[in-house]
Amino acid sequence: MLLLGILLVIVAAVFLFMMFHPVFGKKPSKHDRSTYEPVEHYQKGIFTNQIETVMTSDLRSMLPVLKEFLSGSPNRQPKKAIPIHSFQLPEKANHETRVTWFGHSALLIEMEKKRILIDPMFGSAPSPVPWFGNKRYSKELPFKIEELPQVDLVVLSHDHYDHLDYGTIKQLKHKVKQFVVPLGVAGHLKRWGVEPERIKECNWWDEIKVGEISLICAPARHFSGRSITDRNSTLWCSWIIQGKQSNIYFSGDSGYGPHFKEIGDQYGPFDLSLMECGQYHEKWAAIHMMPEETVQAHIDVRGTVMIPIHWGAFTLSLHDWTDPVERAVNAATKMNVKICTPQIGETVTLGSELRSSSKWWRENTNL
């Protein structure tokens, strides 16, 4: 009886934590859901992909994955903290278009005198409880959040923990002029203290203007959710970021699909594509591209230079931590694609991207 009582207390504690802790955000309200009804890809209370997207999750199919996970691999994360560039954002926005990668999918774009943070996950682990989960490879960031000057825009692709981090938003929110997010994600930000007037929600193909910059919310092939009860209640997306001099594509998280060619036909060519490359597996290939598909997606959107993202920060899959970039570089070479591989914290100026193409990750491996 004592054991049963302890078990019930633990279950109740977990339930209450998930129900009331703000880290889980807020599901769209009944009113919010009613406004989504006219949306073509919103059906029976959830958002859907453009094409059928099956995520294998039955026990029989996942047993081999479990065995693979339990077998372990010494190369799923670096043997020591990976090298990073110290980064300091200038007080004044730069005239040139510059991109800085902070690991995984977190980026800073400086364009048309605006500063844009993309998916700024600056926490130590992509988890609702930071003490658990795989820790950041670099151990620290190339900067301190409190030292960042004001940011014009924070742009989010979806609400997963490795892209939308509660602690990061709480630290950043007073520095940000405006948040731009896909449908439904505003609820999370509002619960975390961001005023509604500073949030702009977008559906696929919506376009907003911020000064000389156009932001177009575009499709991706993925899913959303921060708890066991809100799967696909918010939208996921990719982003097109256009200025007078530069055109950039950010893939968000996505499996390979026809939307890449559709985006390329409508909005390409792109000076730079920031393409998801990492955390893949055959069992979930519909929602995360293999590196060879990453390179093909870059070709589909009519990109000039590609920076692979969604790797280099956390272990969220079973492949070796350097596998994404090695496979992407090899595929790019075979397909005659220009690929740029900056270190975390290293700033790339458009027009000189290929200067940032060292194989820095090999310092931590025997490759």
Side-chain angles (χ1 to χ4, degrees):
M1 288 297 292
L2 178 61
L3 183 61
L4 178 60
I6 293 172
L7 181 60
L8 289 174
V9 168
I10 292 172
V11 170
V14 171
F15 174 77
L16 291 171
F17 176 69
M18 294 184 68
M19 285 293 294
F20 296 107
H21 197 287
V23 71
F24 296 100
K26 183 180 179 183
K27 292 173 64 175
S29 67
K30 184 176 180 180
H31 175 265
D32 293 331
R33 295 195 300 272
S34 70
T35 65
Y36 306 153
E37 291 297 334
V39 175
E40 182 181 357
H41 43 276
Y42 187 75
Q43 301 170 11
K44 299 180 180 179
I46 61 171
F47 289 98
T48 62
N49 285 294
Q50 288 180 313
I51 61 175
E52 184 179 5
T53 301
V54 178
M55 292 174 281
T56 305
S57 58
D58 62 279
L59 182 60
R60 183 177 179 181
S61 297
M62 294 305 290
L63 273 176
V65 178
L66 179 60
K67 291 178 181 177
E68 189 180 350
F69 174 79
L70 293 175
S71 66
S73 169
N75 298 318
R76 284 185 191 154
Q77 57 188 21
K79 293 178 174 61
K80 58 183 180 180
I82 63 174
I84 59 175
H85 268 246
S86 179
F87 173 81
Q88 186 171 8
L89 189 60
E91 283 296 327
K92 292 186 178 180
N94 204 290
H95 288 273
E96 298 174 299
T97 299
R98 309 195 312 169
V99 176
T100 309
W101 178 54
F102 298 123
H104 207 62
S105 296
L107 298 137
L108 171 72
I109 297 176
E110 298 169 81
M111 177 190 287
E112 305 294 347
K113 298 184 180 180
K114 301 289 185 186
R115 299 187 179 111
I116 307 169
L117 280 174
I118 310 288
D119 283 0
M121 194 294 182
F122 297 146
S124 60
S127 165
V129 183
W131 302 285
F132 299 98
N134 291 295
K135 302 299 183 183
R136 184 178 293 275
Y137 295 160
S138 60
K139 306 299 182 185
E140 58 184 17
L141 294 167
F143 61 91
K144 296 185 184 299
I145 294 178
E146 57 269 23
E147 295 176 355
L148 287 177
Q150 192 173 57
V151 175
D152 296 286
L153 292 167
V154 164
V155 179
L156 300 172
S157 64
H158 63 299
D159 67 2
H160 284 160
Y161 291 99
D162 54 326
H163 297 259
L164 175 58
D165 180 63
Y166 168 69
T168 300
I169 298 300
K170 293 288 285 185
Q171 288 180 275
L172 268 180
K173 63 182 182 180
H174 68 283
K175 295 176 177 285
V176 180
K177 291 182 180 178
Q178 187 173 20
F179 292 82
V180 184
V181 303
L183 294 175
V185 176
H188 302 317
L189 300 181
K190 291 174 187 176
R191 186 176 183 187
W192 300 342
V194 180
E195 299 83 358
E197 59 270 20
R198 287 200 288 143
I199 308 170
K200 172 66 177 177
E201 280 195 329
C202 296
N203 187 21
W204 290 344
W205 308 120
D206 284 351
E207 179 177 350
I208 66 168
K209 291 280 290 185
V210 180
E212 301 295 334
I213 295 174
S214 293
L215 288 167
I216 299 98
C217 180
R221 189 184 180 198
H222 200 54
F223 72 110
S224 66
R226 294 180 71 84
S227 73
I228 59 176
T229 62
D230 65 348
R231 173 67 67 92
N232 295 343
S233 64
T234 63
L235 187 60
W236 51 93
C237 69
S238 59
W239 288 98
I240 296 150
I241 306 162
Q242 296 179 330
K244 283 186 172 182
Q245 302 177 16
S246 307
N247 193 22
I248 296 175
Y249 176 68
F250 170 76
S251 71
D253 278 9
S254 183
Y256 184 72
H259 61 284
F260 290 117
K261 188 175 187 308
E262 184 179 11
I263 290 165
D265 289 343
Q266 290 190 48
Y267 292 98
F270 292 94
D271 301 292
L272 180 67
S273 77
L274 304 162
M275 281 289 184
E276 183 218 76
C277 180
Q279 321 316 321
Y280 48 79
H281 192 281
E282 291 178 358
K283 295 296 183 183
W284 51 85
I287 56 167
H288 284 299
M289 291 183 282
M290 300 293 180
E292 294 76 17
E293 292 176 316
T294 295
V295 177
Q296 184 58 55
H298 165 82
I299 294 171
D300 290 353
V301 300
R302 299 166 62 204
T304 301
V305 178
M306 182 185 87
I307 294 180
I309 61 171
H310 207 247
W311 76 283
F314 309 106
T315 295
L316 299 175
S317 188
L318 303 176
H319 54 68
D320 289 358
W321 80 276
T322 58
D323 197 46
V325 69
E326 288 288 341
R327 286 176 61 174
V329 168
N330 290 339
T333 300
K334 291 177 182 177
M335 301 169 83
N336 198 29
V337 163
K338 296 177 181 177
I339 187 169
C340 175
T341 54
Q343 282 184 281
I344 290 173
E346 182 179 0
T347 298
V348 174
T349 301
L350 260 66
S352 62
E353 302 93 342
L354 298 184
R355 297 176 190 169
S356 303
S357 294
S358 68
K359 292 181 173 57
W360 56 267
W361 58 90
R362 293 189 172 185
E363 295 178 22
N364 290 73
T365 66
N366 296 320
L367 294 174

